[in-house]
Amino acid sequence: MDAFSPIPALIGGVLIGLASALLWLGNGRIAGISGIFGQLLPPARTVVWRLVFLAALVLGALAAAWLIPGLGVGGPGGASAQLASPPAGWNIPAPLWIAISGLLIGFGTKIGNGCTSGHGVAGIARLSKRSFVAVGVFFSVAILTVAVTGIV
């Protein structure tokens, strides 16, 4: 967090908003990753655009990482990305910690009827009351998690 630079954050936010708006206006779909990914299995009628969207998401991140080495965690030339390790004293291997975290996130997005990208970017932009509540819960749980685990 020491290397915060507002210009790349602003550019990234504008690009995310633009991509979300284009998907909504061009395809009538909300850019919620859990919904896009979740409809791949079992296959929905509209699989092609979902695969294209997810492939572009991954390839865009790879291209940005290749074009600007070190982009992200510490900014250009900053610290490289690290896997989140379990809290000290929990004696859980990191891969198991990450798998459990992923399953909890998947379960949460299922019962929350969407993920942070769907509610936070598209839902709030549409002034959805449910999305405002969901984002409030996301932030509250995130703050509580940081306070309990000490992981930032």
Side-chain angles (χ1 to χ4, degrees):
M1 200 61 112
D2 296 336
F4 175 71
S5 52
I7 301 302
L10 177 64
I11 292 169
V14 167
L15 289 174
I16 290 170
L18 182 61
S20 178
L22 285 174
L23 183 62
W24 189 22
L25 294 172
N27 200 8
R29 305 293 182 167
I30 293 174
I33 303 305
S34 64
I36 292 170
F37 186 75
Q39 293 296 315
L40 289 175
L41 295 173
R45 292 173 294 162
T46 55
V47 170
V48 174
W49 77 265
R50 294 172 195 278
L51 291 173
V52 169
F53 184 89
L54 293 171
L57 187 71
V58 172
L59 294 174
L62 287 173
W66 183 73
L67 292 171
I68 309 170
L71 180 66
V73 177
S80 60
Q82 301 287 321
L83 288 177
S85 57
W90 284 36
N91 297 325
I92 300 174
L96 180 60
W97 172 257
I98 293 169
I100 291 169
S101 300
L103 289 172
L104 287 173
I105 290 169
F107 180 68
T109 58
K110 187 68 174 172
I111 64 172
N113 204 17
C115 60
T116 53
S117 60
H119 285 297
V121 175
I124 288 179
R126 295 181 304 116
L127 303 177
S128 165
K129 291 177 188 173
R130 180 175 67 186
S131 292
F132 278 102
V133 171
V135 170
V137 171
F138 296 154
F139 272 93
S140 299
V141 171
I143 291 167
L144 179 64
T145 301
V146 169
V148 169
T149 64
I151 299 173
V152 178

